[in-house]
Amino acid sequence: MFDLRALPIVFGTLFFRDPRLVLIISVGIAISRYTLAGFTAQAFTGSINILLLGCLAAFLVALYRKKAWSYNRKAIISILSMNTLQVIGIATFASIPRLNYLQHIAPYTYPAALLLNAFFVFILKDFYEEQLRAQKNKTMNLVLRKQKRELEEKAQQLQLASQYKSEFIANMSHELKTPLNSIIALSQLLQEEDRSRYSEEEISYGKIIHTSGDELLKMINDMLDISKMETGKMEIVWEMVSVQELVQLVQHQFVPITNQKSLQFKVDLQEDVPVFIVSDAQRLVQILRNLLTNAIKFTAQGSITMQIYMDKDSRSGHNRLEKSEDWIVFRIQDTGIGIEQDKQHLIFEAFQQENGTFTRRYGGAGLGLSISLKLAGLLGGKLDLQSTKGEGSSFFLRLPVQPTDLPIDNHPKML
């Protein structure tokens, strides 16, 4: 009359997630009744009782799947319900007198069965929690593997899209440059022809065509530079660069432009600046041209100043060139419109300006500063900004005077 046949089924309600499994266990225990006692009335009633326990266990498993209950709560419910149903089953189907069982046997076996079930069930609590952790880890690993596959696929798609975009920009830019160069050359010829053959209006049209062609050509070249930098094909040619010749080139190009806008253009070359530095002359001039063009564009009155000085304490490089102890600084200062503090990081992004209306008012594609920032990094330096809205801006280009660890095939050469 006293056994622990309900205990395996109680375990099943706690550790299984599929109700069919506890039904299979109960059927197995019910069949075992016939192997032990043979086909007797007692075996039959015992198997019926076990099958009822199995049905209850299947119901509890289905219930626990829907409820986020704790292990202790589920254990108490399973122990009480399963053992209570077993007592009811014995009282209903057993061959002994029902009243005798309920008065003289059940008062002892029922509490004892509850205690023993609780003892074994709570001993296995740690195993249950470990099983939950293992299941959770398994689920998380599956999710992480799925997310990793998705991220890898997206990364490949982005890389492929970026490659296609860069190739398209490079191909289209080359295709556009050929007819554009012809347009610029022809417009230049129109301006150099005998002016008596053309009216002032026609000459002005030629100037507009030439200016617009130059602007478009510059934009195409900027897009080509962006494409090269994104694909890692931008080459740096190290050479000896004369600082004095660099200053003369800048003055020759920008003094006429600043005069047209009635702006003062000053160059302050300090005495301790070396005669030569090691850099890429073409890319250095490109950075300074972008910075000065922007300064002139956004300055309506006042002055533009290019100050060149040494900064021995600077540690601004991003790559292996940052070991240089001597740094030259090109400071481009203007008295223009300035940039708001919370917008200053945006202007270094490609195709970005501080305000969308600036594109319509001042023109430009917003590529100059983005290219300059990347070129500064390739030259071993850094491009910084200080600006106050309404008071002007200062851009600081810091470069190493003598980069260290230059590639073998890039030894400096005298211009």
Side-chain angles (χ1 to χ4, degrees):
M1 300 305 302
F2 176 71
D3 58 45
L4 297 175
R5 286 176 295 179
L7 184 59
I9 304 178
V10 172
F11 288 156
T13 63
L14 298 175
F15 296 106
F16 294 131
R17 302 285 293 172
D18 191 344
R20 293 173 294 183
L21 295 177
V22 291
L23 285 175
I24 293 173
I25 292 175
S26 63
V27 170
I29 298 175
I31 293 175
S32 68
R33 294 288 297 169
Y34 297 103
T35 61
L36 295 174
F39 290 93
T40 62
Q42 185 178 2
F44 177 74
T45 56
S47 64
I48 294 296
N49 190 28
I50 292 297
L51 289 175
L52 290 175
L53 293 177
C55 293
L56 175 60
F59 169 77
L60 292 177
V61 170
L63 177 65
Y64 295 160
R65 289 176 60 178
K66 300 177 182 179
K67 304 292 184 179
W69 289 343
S70 65
Y71 177 85
N72 293 342
R73 183 175 182 180
K74 291 190 290 186
I76 292 173
I77 293 174
S78 296
I79 292 171
L80 288 175
S81 60
M82 299 296 290
N83 283 277
T84 301
L85 180 61
Q86 186 175 24
V87 170
I88 295 173
I90 293 175
T92 303
F93 302 111
S95 57
I96 63 173
R98 181 181 308 164
L99 188 60
N100 184 35
Y101 170 74
L102 293 175
Q103 290 181 347
H104 302 291
I105 300 176
Y108 301 100
T109 58
Y110 181 63
L114 292 178
L115 292 175
L116 287 173
N117 274 259
F119 175 76
F120 287 112
V121 165
F122 286 103
I123 281 180
L124 294 177
K125 181 180 179 180
D126 291 338
F127 172 75
Y128 171 79
E129 293 177 348
E130 182 64 28
Q131 186 185 46
L132 286 181
R133 285 193 293 268
Q135 182 65 33
K136 184 178 181 180
N137 290 336
K138 181 179 179 181
T139 304
M140 288 299 298
N141 287 335
L142 291 174
V143 172
L144 289 175
R145 282 198 293 268
K146 182 180 179 182
Q147 292 178 344
K148 182 181 178 181
R149 286 195 300 269
E150 292 176 350
L151 289 175
E152 289 175 349
E153 291 176 357
K154 290 180 179 179
Q156 292 176 355
Q157 293 173 359
L158 289 174
Q159 184 178 4
L160 190 61
S162 178
Q163 179 181 350
Y164 288 155
K165 181 198 70 175
S166 298
E167 292 177 355
F168 173 78
I169 291 175
N171 293 332
M172 289 302 298
S173 298
H174 284 297
E175 293 296 328
L176 289 172
K177 287 179 71 175
T178 301
L180 183 59
N181 284 326
S182 300
I183 294 173
I184 294 174
L186 290 174
S187 63
Q188 183 68 31
L189 287 175
L190 288 175
Q191 296 182 64
E192 295 174 357
E193 287 283 341
D194 185 5
R195 290 179 175 268
S196 62
R197 298 174 55 186
Y198 304 102
S199 66
E200 289 297 328
E201 186 177 7
E202 290 173 332
I203 294 174
S204 67
Y205 289 160
K207 290 181 179 180
I208 293 173
I209 293 173
H210 188 271
T211 303
S212 300
D214 281 338
E215 288 295 325
L216 184 56
L217 182 60
K218 181 180 180 301
M219 189 181 302
I220 291 174
N221 288 331
D222 287 344
M223 294 177 69
L224 273 174
D225 287 338
I226 287 287
S227 176
K228 289 179 181 178
M229 284 184 277
E230 287 181 349
T231 56
K233 296 180 179 179
M234 176 68 72
E235 295 182 359
I236 299 299
V237 180
W238 301 105
E239 53 198 358
M240 299 294 292
V241 181
S242 170
V243 178
Q244 185 63 44
E245 291 183 4
L246 184 67
V247 170
Q248 293 175 358
L249 178 63
V250 169
Q251 288 177 325
H252 175 74
Q253 183 172 0
F254 287 97
V255 166
I257 301 175
T258 52
N259 288 339
Q260 289 179 0
K261 292 190 67 173
S262 300
L263 299 174
Q264 291 184 353
F265 181 57
K266 297 177 289 185
V267 177
D268 179 12
L269 177 60
Q270 297 190 0
E271 295 181 355
D272 60 341
V273 174
V275 177
F276 292 96
I277 64 173
V278 178
S279 189
D280 186 321
Q282 178 185 353
R283 300 306 174 185
L284 176 54
V285 170
Q286 184 177 356
I287 296 173
L288 295 177
R289 184 186 297 119
N290 287 337
L291 297 179
L292 288 169
T293 300
N294 273 357
I296 296 171
K297 181 192 299 184
F298 296 107
T299 303
Q301 58 183 1
S303 63
I304 309 293
T305 303
M306 183 173 75
Q307 184 182 21
I308 306 173
Y309 59 93
M310 297 299 296
D311 182 6
K312 294 182 180 296
D313 297 328
S314 179
R315 291 293 183 268
S316 55
H318 286 301
N319 51 31
R320 61 184 177 179
L321 306 179
E322 65 183 357
K323 298 178 182 177
S324 172
E325 295 181 356
D326 295 332
W327 296 80
I328 186 171
V329 182
F330 297 85
R331 180 187 182 188
I332 309 299
Q333 184 179 13
D334 64 63
T335 58
I337 61 177
I339 305 168
E340 293 182 2
Q341 184 69 31
D342 59 343
K343 300 291 181 60
Q344 292 182 11
H345 67 284
L346 292 176
I347 65 171
F348 289 105
E349 299 290 337
F351 305 103
Q352 291 285 344
Q353 291 187 350
E354 181 191 1
N355 192 310
T357 59
F358 288 180
T359 302
R360 297 186 294 272
R361 181 177 177 182
Y362 296 100
L367 294 174
L369 289 179
S370 177
I371 293 173
S372 299
L373 180 66
K374 291 181 173 64
L375 287 177
L378 291 175
L379 296 178
K382 186 179 181 182
L383 183 61
D384 293 314
L385 166 66
Q386 290 181 359
S387 182
T388 303
K389 187 66 175 177
E391 297 182 9
S393 304
S394 291
F395 287 88
F396 298 85
L397 173 63
R398 290 180 171 88
L399 296 177
V401 172
Q402 175 64 55
T404 59
D405 299 334
L406 288 177
I408 296 177
D409 59 346
N410 273 337
H411 287 302
K413 59 182 181 293
M414 185 70 69
L415 286 179

